[in-house]
Amino acid sequence: MGFKRYAGVPAIALLSVLACSSTNGAVAPPTSAPPSGVGAPGIGDTDFPLDGNGGYDVAHYDLAIGYTPATKHLDGVATIDAKAAERLSRFNLDLAGLKVRAVSIDGAAATFSRRGDELTVVPARPLAQGAGFKVKVAYSGRPQPLKDSSNLGTFGFIPTADGAFVACEPNGAKTWFPANDHPADKATFDFRITVPKGLTALANGEMAGKPTTSGGRTTFRWRESHPMATYLATATLGDFELREGTTPGGIPNVAAVDPAYHSSLDSLYKTSGRITDYWSKIFGPYPFSSTGGVIDNFAAGYALENQTKPLYGGFHPDESIIAHELAHQWFGDSVSIRRWRDLWLNEGFATYAEWLWWEHTGRSTTEATFRRNHARPANDRIWKYPPGEARPRDLFNESVYTRGGMTLHALRKEIGDETFFKLLKTWTEQHKYGNATTPEFIALAQRLSGKDLQALFDAWLFQPHRPA
Ligand code: ARG
Ligand code: ZN
């Protein structure tokens, strides 16, 4: 993000660095494979061994959530449509805290157990490989956000004075719903969020019908009909002022601000509209059915690119950060990473987008921005930290953003503007609504340019010192 970075732990120089050609696109299987019939407790991201789960693929989450700010109590029923990738006598979901009341599969009661953030579900009879199934989890309790003092700050479902601020990158979706909580398993979402009358609940996608009120509580329905990574799901709720319409280019646009940010409502709406339209020209057609932004009165110290509704945590966003979060709609949200170490594919691209916005608006050319950063002293921490291997405890290191952005500028100079911008559009088109990896990006850049770019990417992404 372009607003504030967390100071990372001091970077340690990598002594043996993988050449980028040796990193293949596949997610490694978990180191100790579980016995047959048992879904793995992790999806196979070796840096985050327990994130996500193996053995099935989620197609859709239907989340019915009731929340009461006064008591911080959440009641939820999650109905998850999934498909078994193998025969399953048991499988896991990720869920942190909260009490599970009942689990059923295709309407039949299932047994379950909890251990750490793993919820293990045992169907009455094993699921056949390839079978579609519906798992329903009824749960409740007080969501507890996750806290990480070194790098991530507070994230997940975060109670606020008037409601909740919900920003879940990297793995905080499990603080408010049972999930296959890893970006490698994307799914569509339906939300039904019930809150005390007078409050507004904001989720991804578009409203599916008008809010309905009864017994002093209002239910908001939202639907995200394009695949979404779990960390991009939100149910941010509280006092909000809304402005709704379309961008000048005709894309539905929703801006919402906590009343404390009343003075930014108009500019958030207009700037988000203008930038969404501009990125649609540069990166390819806007991938989703609406755009917008939400400013909540919670000092998160960061923003998050929640799909269709970037969330700004307790500050008036400027054009740079709006350009950044909206660029993520293409890079991160539509084209998602398959493993966290490739995070520069999100953050380097969104940072470069900020520089493109400055160039477009006459503030500074991308070349000048690149040079300014390249002139940082040799002992600057971005040179020691290879951005192509974002580390689990230091994912959002500044190098992943700034040196990641510089990587794209170095590439642009090497292959020329025409090929570079064609590459960006081809990338967003080829991996639309899917997942991708760094080796796939390098391969596409080489194919479109007809050049061997291994040395360039190796120097920029994988070496612990400043590229020439
Ligand atoms: N992806 C966000 C951005 O670059 C940053 C999210 C940081 N997450 C966190 N838990 N601090 O805009
Ligand atoms: Zn970002």
Side-chain angles (χ1 to χ4, degrees):
M1 62 169 213
F3 173 66
K4 179 189 168 225
R5 327 275 185 217
Y6 285 94
V9 294
I12 300 155
L14 272 191
L15 295 177
S16 71
V17 173
L18 289 172
C20 46
S21 54
S22 70
T23 329
N24 70 32
V27 169
T31 36
S32 57
S36 134
V38 177
I43 204 167
D45 187 330
T46 46
D47 291 330
F48 292 83
L50 291 179
D51 282 14
N53 304 280
Y56 64 92
D57 184 68
V58 176
H60 185 74
Y61 292 91
D62 180 283
L63 304 178
I65 304 280
Y67 188 71
T68 307
T71 59
K72 300 188 168 69
H73 184 86
L74 181 148
D75 267 305
V77 177
T79 309
I80 303 167
D81 292 322
K83 188 174 169 178
E86 56 194 70
R87 180 184 160 274
L88 286 176
S89 55
R90 50 191 277 189
F91 63 88
N92 284 12
L93 288 161
D94 302 309
L95 184 66
L98 304 167
K99 186 172 167 49
V100 174
R101 287 183 278 116
V103 180
S104 68
I105 294 180
D106 295 327
T111 55
F112 62 90
S113 58
R114 308 283 305 271
R115 190 175 179 178
D117 294 350
E118 298 292 329
L119 164 64
T120 299
V121 178
V122 182
R125 56 185 56 201
L127 301 161
Q129 177 175 15
F133 63 97
K134 225 184 235 308
V135 48
K136 186 167 169 179
V137 180
Y139 61 103
S140 58
R142 282 186 176 203
Q144 302 292 332
L146 301 172
K147 289 192 178 124
D148 173 295
S149 50
S150 64
N151 186 228
L152 302 171
T154 303
F155 62 103
F157 189 103
I158 306 170
T160 58
D162 63 339
F165 175 95
V166 184
C168 300
E169 194 181 19
N171 51 13
K174 65 183 175 192
T175 65
W176 64 286
F177 63 96
N180 195 17
D181 196 7
H182 189 282
D185 189 1
K186 299 168 72 167
T188 54
F189 282 73
D190 269 296
F191 302 88
R192 225 159 35 243
I193 308 166
T194 303
V195 293
K197 185 178 166 204
L199 300 187
T200 299
L202 301 160
N204 313 84
E206 298 76 51
M207 277 218 189
K210 286 218 166 66
T212 52
T213 300
S214 85
R217 292 178 69 85
T218 304
T219 300
F220 293 82
R221 289 159 208 270
W222 294 90
R223 176 169 301 149
E224 175 50 69
S225 52
H226 298 100
M228 178 165 75
T230 49
Y231 76 86
L232 299 168
T234 193
T236 294
L237 56 102
D239 287 322
F240 281 102
E241 297 173 4
L242 261 64
R243 175 139 183 222
E244 297 170 81
T246 57
T247 70
I251 299 166
N253 184 12
V254 179
V257 303
D258 183 285
Y261 292 87
H262 171 79
S263 64
S264 278
L265 179 58
D266 196 56
S267 66
L268 174 68
Y269 175 82
K270 288 186 180 137
T271 307
S272 301
R274 230 162 13 104
I275 293 177
T276 301
D277 286 350
Y278 182 64
W279 288 157
S280 306
K281 289 195 200 117
I282 307 296
F283 302 145
Y286 185 66
F288 306 122
S289 302
S290 62
T291 186
V294 176
I295 311 176
D296 199 4
N297 191 13
F298 171 75
Y302 61 84
L304 182 65
E305 60 268 23
N306 288 338
Q307 192 157 308
T308 69
K309 283 180 193 64
L311 177 58
Y312 305 93
F315 58 92
H316 294 272
D318 61 12
E319 289 194 3
S320 294
I321 195 159
I322 293 173
H324 179 114
E325 305 309 333
L326 289 172
H328 273 310
Q329 301 305 308
W330 285 260
F331 306 106
D333 295 10
S334 174
V335 182
S336 302
I337 51 176
R338 197 178 284 289
R339 51 187 190 195
W340 285 106
R341 81 170 81 136
D342 289 337
L343 189 63
W344 84 281
L345 291 174
N346 295 4
E347 302 307 344
F349 283 58
T351 300
Y352 195 60
E354 293 179 53
W355 303 351
L356 289 170
W357 184 254
W358 298 344
E359 184 159 80
H360 173 65
T361 55
R363 167 168 159 186
S364 170
T365 64
T366 46
E367 177 64 13
T369 307
F370 175 86
R371 286 199 183 160
R372 239 183 358 261
N373 282 295
H374 199 246
R376 291 180 182 211
N379 64 1
D380 190 286
R381 62 201 198 100
I382 70 171
W383 305 130
K384 271 191 275 179
Y385 192 111
E389 291 182 345
R391 290 183 215 145
R393 270 165 299 282
D394 193 14
L395 281 182
F396 298 97
N397 187 286
E398 195 195 356
S399 171
V400 175
Y401 287 73
T402 303
R403 194 168 147 189
M406 295 175 78
T407 302
L408 290 175
H409 193 71
L411 174 66
R412 176 177 168 186
K413 289 201 284 191
E414 178 65 27
I415 67 180
D417 278 16
E418 200 181 296
T419 307
F420 177 77
F421 287 103
K422 184 172 165 211
L423 169 63
L424 295 185
K425 282 188 171 157
T426 309
W427 180 247
T428 60
E429 175 55 34
Q430 279 191 350
H431 298 285
K432 196 171 183 177
Y433 310 135
N435 295 88
T437 62
T438 300
E440 289 173 316
F441 182 71
I442 295 173
L444 182 63
Q446 296 199 135
R447 187 165 70 69
L448 292 187
S449 66
K451 286 191 163 185
D452 180 351
L453 301 167
Q454 294 295 341
L456 181 147
F457 281 111
D458 185 53
W460 278 99
L461 293 178
F462 300 107
Q463 292 302 320
H465 43 74
R466 174 165 56 185

